[in-house]
Amino acid sequence: KIAYQISGLTKTYTTGEIEVRALRGVDLAIRQGEMIVMLGPSGSGKSTFLNLIGGLDTPTDGQILFEGKELTGQDDRFLTQYRRHYAGFVFQFYNLIPSLNARENVALVSEIVSDPMPVDEALEMVGLKARADHFPSQLSGGEQQRVAVARALVKKPRVLLCDEPTGALDSATGIKVLDALAGVNETLGTTTIIITHNASIAAIGDRVLYFADGRIAKEERNEKRQPAS
Ligand code: ADP
Ligand code: ADP
């Protein structure tokens, strides 16, 4: 089963006279349940790619099929539904609501979908059930990011799209976040895509894609996936 079938994906940003070709025709198939790590220098198009397949932005050219259905050319209403029900997002910054505790931050998202996972189960999956009553200010950066992962997965998304999820963390806490993501991928079979700068975590992916200059320059398959820790 294929999660994403992507062909000729192109994105050109135009600012005044200046054109930036962020993606130059990417072709890629991503299997359901696959764990993908994306590496590559800053400016090589990784975030642009993730934003396009997450329905946060629209391509200049090319096609994205999600589970066989066109994502490209759909209106905002369709993309909002797609983001809300099918895609979970984790970014470098956690964006938790400071006045709500961990459980409430996760519950807020669980209330907007039809068939959420129980909030405590989502917190348990990231190893934070015991911290459910803590407010963001009482949690470490790594713990806050794991709350953000719980918030993304409580919707039971088909895909988890993670842009530099460990970018603000030291390597030891970063590993706990990655372990949580790997656990979700393994337990729920959620297709997971992780952008990172840290080449040492590439081993947690089934596949590593190296972006360069708006293209996928190289890919490697990990025969036996390594645990992050
Ligand atoms: P990466 O995630 O690999 O660092 P990006 O996808 O963020 O790369 O950026 C790819 C290129 O597109 C870069 O040259 C960047 O400056 C440019 N870019 C990204 N977003 C925008 C935007 N909103 N407007 C104009 N240029 C952008
Ligand atoms: P809503 O469901 O409130 O209409 P959206 O459709 O805009 O929200 O977004 C759906 C999901 O996508 C949200 O759960 C949110 O986490 C994520 N999301 C969308 N845009 C962004 C963004 N620019 N930064 C961070 N997360 C975003």
Side-chain angles (χ1 to χ4, degrees):
K1 282 276 186 69
I2 301 293
Y4 292 100
Q5 184 74 51
I6 293 150
S7 50
L9 197 65
T10 302
K11 179 70 178 181
T12 304
Y13 295 105
T14 308
T15 319
E17 303 275 281
I18 300 166
E19 286 200 342
V20 176
R21 297 175 68 194
L23 286 181
R24 300 165 181 257
V26 171
D27 301 311
L28 183 68
I30 298 174
R31 275 182 289 108
Q32 279 180 19
E34 211 175 353
M35 176 103 161
I36 292 202
V37 172
M38 294 182 167
L39 290 170
S42 182
S44 58
K46 305 180 298 295
S47 294
T48 299
F49 179 85
L50 208 73
N51 290 343
L52 293 179
I53 69 170
L56 296 169
D57 201 357
T58 52
T60 311
D61 201 2
Q63 189 186 47
I64 303 167
L65 294 180
F66 170 71
E67 298 185 352
K69 287 188 291 286
E70 273 278 3
L71 216 59
T72 25
Q74 298 282 2
D75 59 15
D76 282 347
R77 193 185 144 82
F78 180 97
L79 291 177
T80 299
Q81 291 302 314
Y82 165 72
R83 290 194 300 270
R84 190 178 298 174
H85 298 287
Y86 294 90
F89 296 90
V90 180
F91 295 94
Q92 180 170 356
F93 300 104
Y94 334 119
N95 292 316
L96 301 177
I97 296 174
S99 58
L100 301 180
N101 67 27
R103 181 184 288 113
E104 292 162 344
N105 265 281
V106 177
L108 203 61
V109 169
S110 82
E111 282 159 14
I112 65 161
V113 295
S114 49
D115 181 29
M117 178 186 293
V119 170
D120 281 346
E121 196 178 317
L123 285 167
E124 180 149 36
M125 286 202 76
V126 299
L128 281 182
K129 206 176 163 192
R131 294 257 194 284
D133 296 325
H134 288 55
F135 289 89
S137 62
Q138 300 171 310
L139 298 170
S140 72
E143 288 170 337
Q144 290 182 63
Q145 186 63 304
R146 283 186 281 148
V147 175
V149 172
R151 179 183 58 189
L153 74 88
V154 76
K155 318 192 263 188
K156 293 197 276 189
R158 305 285 295 158
V159 296
L160 265 180
L161 304 175
C162 313
D163 194 343
E164 297 278 0
T166 64
L169 303 172
D170 63 54
S171 63
T173 35
I175 282 170
K176 287 194 184 171
V177 170
L178 294 167
D179 277 339
L181 289 168
V184 171
N185 172 258
E186 197 171 310
T187 313
L188 303 178
T190 313
T191 308
T192 304
I193 304 178
I194 303 173
I195 294 179
T196 179
H197 267 106
N198 185 352
S200 70
I201 70 167
I204 72 158
D206 296 310
R207 200 151 46 122
V208 187
L209 306 177
Y210 295 85
F211 275 71
D213 202 19
R215 293 196 174 88
I216 296 171
K218 187 171 75 158
E219 77 168 69
E220 279 166 8
R221 219 168 267 279
N222 288 327
E223 286 312 327
K224 204 157 155 274
R225 192 200 292 177
Q226 305 298 312
S229 40

